[in-house]
Amino acid sequence: MSLFEQLCTQARQSALLESIESLLGWDERTYMPTAAGEYRAEQMTFVSGEVHRRRTDPRLGEWLHELSSSPLAADPHSDEGATIRQLRRDYEKRCKLPQLLVEELTRASVLGQQAWVKARAADDYASFAPHITKLYDLKRQQAECLGYPEHPYDALLDDYEPDARTSEVAAVLSALRDELTPLVQAIIESGRRAPVEILSRHCPQSAQETFGKRAASAIGFDFERGRLDITHHPFCAGMGPHDCRITTRYDETFFPSALFGTLHEAGHGIYDQGLRTDWFGLPPGTYLSLGIHESQSRMWENLVGRSRAFWEHFFPQFAADFPEAALGASFDDFYWAINHVEPSLIRVEADEATYNLHIIVRFELEQALLTGDLKSADLPTAWNEKYRQYLGIAPPSDADGCLQDIHWSAALIGYFPTYSLGNLYAAQFFEAAERELGGLADQFSHGEFAPLKSWLQRNIHEVGQCYTAAQLVERVTGQPLSHAPLVRHLRGKLAPLYGLK
Ligand code: ZN
C-alpha cells in the first residue's frame, strides 16, 4: 500500500468512528429514552476521544509531513492535494491545543449550558454572567494557542468557516446591515401588514407530514438514502455515504414551522447526498464549511420554497390537503403571508429579511466580548441597544434578549456569522444558476427542481473541500462574496409586497 493509501485508510477509519458518533447523536435527539442520557454521554465521549486520539496520532503527522512535499500535493485543488492539505491542517490544529484547555472547555460548556437553561427560565442574566466571562476567557486562550492572521476571532471563526477572515466577514455583513436597516424601516413605515392569520389556521400533523415529505422529495431529497424524523430542535446529520437523517417539528396551528423547516433540512440533506461517495470520509467528499452548508438549506427554504413559482406548483396541492387552512385564502394572500417581514425579538422565528440583523448583533457583540472591549456584565445593555438601533425594538427581558440562544453557553463562539454567510452565498449562487440555466421560475412552477439540484451538485457538492469557500464563490459566480445579490433578492421580492419604490 502506498503512503497516500495508508493515509486515506487511516482517515476513513476516523470518519467511520465519527459516523458512529453521529448516529448516537441522532438517536439521542430523536428516539432515545430519557433515562439513557448518562450512558449515552459516556458512549459519545468515548468515541470522540478515540477520534481525537487517531486524528492526533504522531504517525499521521509523519505521513502528512512526507506527503506534503510529494508530487501528489503539488496541485492543492486536486483530490489528492486537497486530501493532504486538509488532513494536515486538521492535524496541526488539533495538536496545537493543550489537552488541559480542551478538557476545561468541555467542562465549562457543560456547566455553561446547565446555567444557561436555569438563567433563561428565571430571566436571571446575573447568574449566567460569570459563565460568559469564563467561556470567553477560555476561547481567548484557544485563539492564542491556535494563532491567527489578524484578529483573535479569526481563530474561532476558522472552526466553522475555514480560512475566513473576521475583517472580510465584517465588511460584507456591515454593508448588508446598512442596506437592510433602511429596507426594514421602510417596510414598517409602509403600514402594510400581510394577512398572517392564514398561517395559524389548524393543519393536522399527519397531513403536514405527508405534504412535507412530498415537497422534500420533489426538490430532490432521496428517501432511499435518508429519513425524516421528529425532534425538538431540527437538524440534519449525515452518518454514511448513503444515510442522511433530517428532522423537523410539527405545530398544528403554525404550519410554516414544519414545512419550511423540512425544506431547510432537506436542503442540507441534498448537499450531503450530493457529496462524492467514493471520497466519503476524506476532504474531497466532505462538506466545505458551515456557511456553504447553510447556503444549500437557505436556497431551498427561501429562494425556492418561498418563491411565487414554487407555490404556483404547490398551492393547489396545499389547498386540497388543508381545506380548512386554505378556506377563502387567495394565492396572493398566502404568498404574502409566508413572506411577511416584521421585526421580532427571537432569532429563530425571524423572517428572511430581519434574520440577518439578529446575526449581525451577535457577530458584533461576540467580537467585543472576545477582545474585552465589552464586559460580560454589560452584555444585556449592549444587546438591547443594538436591537433598538438595527431592528427598532428592544426586548422586555433578557430571556427574550441575550439569553435566547444556546450557542455561547456551549462555547460555540464564531458560529453565528455562518448563518448569514449562508444567506449571502445562497443568493449569489442562485443568481449564477439563473444566469447559466435560465428560466428557473418557470421550471419551479411546473414542479421541476432537478436542473437546479444538478447544477448545485456539479458546482458545489462535488467540489468537497478542494477549494476554500471564498475560492468556490469566485469560481462559481465569477465574483467575490458580496451583499448585493441578497439585497437584490430581498428588494425584488419585498418592494412590490410593501409598495416600496
Ligand atoms: Zn441550517
Side-chain angles (χ1 to χ4, degrees), residues 234-236 264-265 268 290 293-295 297-298 301 415 419:
F235 63 96
C236 165
H264 179 97
E265 299 307 333
H268 280 303
L290 286 190
H293 224 310
E294 194 68 5
S295 77
S297 58
R298 299 285 171 152
E301 176 194 359
Y415 191 112
Y419 293 120

Side-chain angles (χ1 to χ4, degrees), residues 19-20 90 97 121 189 202 209 265 389 456 459 474 495 499:
S19 70
I20 293 167
D90 177 71
L97 289 180
E189 281 164 9
H202 187 257
E209 285 186 37
E265 299 307 333
Q389 222 182 317
L456 294 169
N459 287 288
E474 290 238 29

Side-chain angles (χ1 to χ4, degrees), residues 188-436:
I188 298 167
E189 281 164 9
S190 77
R192 293 196 188 183
R193 201 164 183 283
V196 286
E197 62 81 26
I198 300 169
L199 309 179
S200 45
R201 293 183 186 169
H202 187 257
C203 293
Q205 178 170 328
S206 62
Q208 286 194 49
E209 285 186 37
T210 310
F211 192 85
K213 277 188 181 163
R214 198 193 305 141
S217 176
I219 63 169
F221 183 78
D222 181 356
F223 280 94
E224 300 267 300
R225 300 170 63 213
R227 282 181 59 91
L228 171 65
D229 294 276
I230 299 174
T231 191
H232 288 297
H233 299 284
F235 63 96
C236 165
M239 49 198 72
H242 302 288
D243 190 354
C244 175
R245 312 292 175 96
I246 57 172
T247 54
T248 195
R249 60 178 159 201
Y250 295 94
D251 180 343
E252 294 205 319
T253 53
F254 192 68
F255 77 87
S257 168
L259 179 61
F260 292 107
T262 301
L263 290 172
H264 179 97
E265 299 307 333
H268 280 303
I270 290 168
Y271 184 12
D272 277 354
Q273 292 181 336
L275 295 167
R276 282 181 286 162
T277 54
D278 50 342
W279 283 94
F280 182 81
L282 294 170
T286 303
Y287 76 89
L288 181 45
S289 72
L290 286 190
I292 296 295
H293 224 310
E294 194 68 5
S295 77
Q296 303 304 289
S297 58
R298 299 285 171 152
M299 184 173 307
W300 290 108
E301 176 194 359
N302 291 331
L303 288 123
V304 180
R306 290 183 203 269
S307 69
R308 280 194 87 90
F310 180 90
W311 286 101
E312 277 162 15
H313 176 69
F314 277 107
F315 188 67
Q317 295 179 36
F318 182 85
D321 287 6
F322 304 97
E324 211 181 313
L327 191 69
S330 71
F331 174 81
D332 285 330
D333 283 350
F334 179 88
Y335 169 70
W336 188 11
I338 58 167
N339 283 296
H340 182 55
V341 169
E342 189 173 11
S344 61
L345 296 172
I346 307 297
R347 173 184 63 88
V348 295
E349 292 164 10
D351 57 74
E352 204 183 343
T354 59
Y355 186 88
N356 298 293
L357 294 168
H358 291 261
I359 295 304
I360 291 165
V361 167
R362 288 152 177 79
F363 173 60
E364 292 176 353
L365 291 175
E366 56 187 14
Q367 289 173 72
L369 284 165
L370 188 67
T371 54
D373 289 344
L374 177 64
K375 298 280 168 268
S376 65
D378 302 326
L379 175 61
T381 315
W383 179 284
N384 297 351
E385 185 43 45
K386 285 205 187 282
Y387 264 75
R388 254 189 300 271
Q389 222 182 317
Y390 301 161
L391 287 140
I393 48 171
S397 71
D398 293 333
D400 285 338
C402 64
L403 284 173
Q404 66 181 269
D405 299 302
I406 193 172
H407 301 61
W408 292 339
S409 76
L412 298 173
I413 296 160
Y415 191 112
F416 279 121
T418 66
Y419 293 120
S420 278
L421 287 172
N423 287 325
L424 293 164
Y425 293 140
Q428 197 161 331
F429 287 147
F430 193 79
E431 279 192 353
E434 175 63 36
R435 259 196 316 272
E436 277 180 41

Side-chain angles (χ1 to χ4, degrees), residues 434-490:
E434 175 63 36
R435 259 196 316 272
E436 277 180 41
L437 300 171
L440 287 176
D442 188 52
Q443 292 165 19
F444 300 164
S445 70
H446 293 98
E448 290 164 22
F449 303 99
L452 177 61
K453 185 194 142 182
S454 313
W455 185 89
L456 294 169
Q457 182 167 9
R458 216 167 41 245
N459 287 288
I460 297 163
H461 309 170
E462 289 179 353
V463 172
Q465 299 184 345
C466 291
Y467 291 85
T468 68
Q471 289 165 343
L472 182 75
V473 170
E474 290 238 29
R475 273 173 64 84
V476 175
T477 72
Q479 299 284 329
L481 181 65
S482 156
H483 66 291
L486 180 60
V487 172
R488 273 197 288 274
H489 158 69
L490 290 170

Side-chain angles (χ1 to χ4, degrees), residues 18-277:
E18 280 165 342
S19 70
I20 293 167
E21 198 187 349
S22 178
L23 177 55
L24 290 169
W26 168 82
D27 177 68
E28 183 191 29
R29 293 162 77 181
T30 50
Y31 295 107
M32 186 189 78
T34 38
E38 218 171 298
Y39 196 68
R40 177 56 47 90
E42 263 185 65
Q43 293 173 314
M44 292 177 66
T45 310
F46 181 78
V47 179
S48 76
E50 278 303 296
V51 171
H52 185 74
R53 196 182 56 74
R54 297 180 55 87
R55 291 213 184 268
T56 51
D57 185 337
R59 274 186 318 160
L60 184 61
E62 287 162 24
W63 299 343
L64 285 165
H65 182 74
E66 200 176 324
L67 284 165
S68 294
S69 51
S70 81
L72 281 174
D75 177 2
H77 305 304
S78 67
D79 290 333
E80 292 76 13
T83 300
I84 296 164
R85 170 171 47 82
Q86 290 296 94
L87 290 177
R88 183 170 186 183
R89 188 182 200 285
D90 177 71
Y91 174 81
E92 287 176 350
K93 215 173 147 174
R94 284 174 187 264
C95 291
K96 277 185 193 164
L97 289 180
Q99 192 58 31
L100 202 65
L101 179 60
V102 175
E103 283 167 16
E104 250 195 291
L105 262 167
T106 308
R107 198 168 28 245
S109 93
V110 172
L111 295 175
Q113 288 174 70
Q114 289 168 0
W116 169 74
V117 170
K118 282 191 202 142
R120 189 186 182 202
D123 186 25
D124 175 18
Y125 175 75
S127 71
F128 183 59
H131 293 273
I132 284 280
T133 308
K134 175 82 183 166
L135 284 157
Y136 272 87
D137 268 347
L138 292 171
K139 292 302 266 191
R140 204 173 299 121
Q141 288 177 41
Q142 180 184 326
E144 293 307 327
C145 292
L146 292 170
Y148 45 83
E150 294 167 2
H151 192 289
Y153 191 87
D154 291 341
L156 306 185
L157 186 60
D158 193 78
D159 278 346
Y160 314 108
E161 200 62 18
D163 300 300
R165 292 274 176 96
T166 309
S167 56
E168 289 160 6
V169 175
V172 72
L173 289 188
S174 37
L176 179 65
R177 180 196 62 202
D178 295 345
E179 296 266 7
L180 284 183
T181 313
L183 175 64
V184 169
Q185 190 57 35
I187 288 173
I188 298 167
E189 281 164 9
S190 77
R192 293 196 188 183
R193 201 164 183 283
V196 286
E197 62 81 26
I198 300 169
L199 309 179
S200 45
R201 293 183 186 169
H202 187 257
C203 293
Q205 178 170 328
S206 62
Q208 286 194 49
E209 285 186 37
T210 310
F211 192 85
K213 277 188 181 163
R214 198 193 305 141
S217 176
I219 63 169
F221 183 78
D222 181 356
F223 280 94
E224 300 267 300
R225 300 170 63 213
R227 282 181 59 91
L228 171 65
D229 294 276
I230 299 174
T231 191
H232 288 297
H233 299 284
F235 63 96
C236 165
M239 49 198 72
H242 302 288
D243 190 354
C244 175
R245 312 292 175 96
I246 57 172
T247 54
T248 195
R249 60 178 159 201
Y250 295 94
D251 180 343
E252 294 205 319
T253 53
F254 192 68
F255 77 87
S257 168
L259 179 61
F260 292 107
T262 301
L263 290 172
H264 179 97
E265 299 307 333
H268 280 303
I270 290 168
Y271 184 12
D272 277 354
Q273 292 181 336
L275 295 167
R276 282 181 286 162
T277 54

